[in-house]
Amino acid sequence: MERIYADPASPRLALAALSGNGPHIVRTTNSGGFWDALDYDLPSAPARAVTADRAAGAIYVATDRGVFYGHADLENASANPVEWRNLTSALPAAPATDVRLDAAGVQLYIALDGYGVYAAAAPHRARALQIVNAADYSARAAAP
């Protein structure tokens, strides 16, 4: 096991990055009683780090082939496959050693071996734009 992500607001949920043979990303929704693999179409490469935004269902995985983004129901175990998208195809071809979200889940940080740290807006935030009312801070879905 390379890294584990446990959601501070829901400690029964955890994701683990594995570097050995077999699954590379596993999830538990019941405090470790059962783990299911989320690999589906994730390239077969050692995973070095994992982070997530539980409310949005966004998962980010740092692997030896770059950083990948997937979307899954993190509250409940399911058989639905996670489709992974490479986020680092435009960056240098180097192993990703770490991936993190800022506390608000807005900024994504990627560490590439030999190249340093890259930062960008978290891709999952573009999926659910919201308008926030400054008077009462209530959130509403943005109109298309």
Side-chain angles (χ1 to χ4, degrees):
M1 182 180 310
E2 291 286 329
R3 189 82 47 90
I4 192 160
Y5 165 82
D7 190 303
S10 182
R12 64 184 172 72
L13 167 71
L15 299 166
L18 309 172
S19 63
N21 294 329
H24 296 291
I25 296 299
V26 292
R27 160 188 64 187
T28 184
T29 58
N30 61 3
S31 303
F34 174 78
W35 292 84
D36 61 329
L38 299 178
D39 289 35
Y40 185 56
D41 64 350
L42 186 67
S44 183
R48 304 294 176 196
V50 61
T51 192
D53 183 330
R54 177 187 49 82
I59 306 169
Y60 297 92
V61 181
T63 74
D64 283 357
R65 292 192 181 169
V67 172
F68 292 83
Y69 160 67
H71 188 265
D73 180 359
L74 295 177
E75 296 291 332
N76 306 295
S78 70
N80 296 334
V82 177
E83 294 183 20
W84 296 97
R85 186 173 56 141
N86 187 344
L87 297 179
T88 52
S89 58
L91 297 177
T97 57
D98 203 0
V99 62
R100 304 270 174 112
L101 284 168
D102 68 347
V106 175
Q107 191 77 16
L108 181 69
Y109 299 95
I110 297 170
L112 292 181
D113 189 28
Y115 290 94
V117 176
Y118 291 82
H124 74 276
R125 289 298 178 181
R127 293 180 55 152
L129 297 176
Q130 290 189 341
I131 296 172
V132 177
N133 184 338
D136 64 1
Y137 296 106
S138 61
R140 296 171 186 81

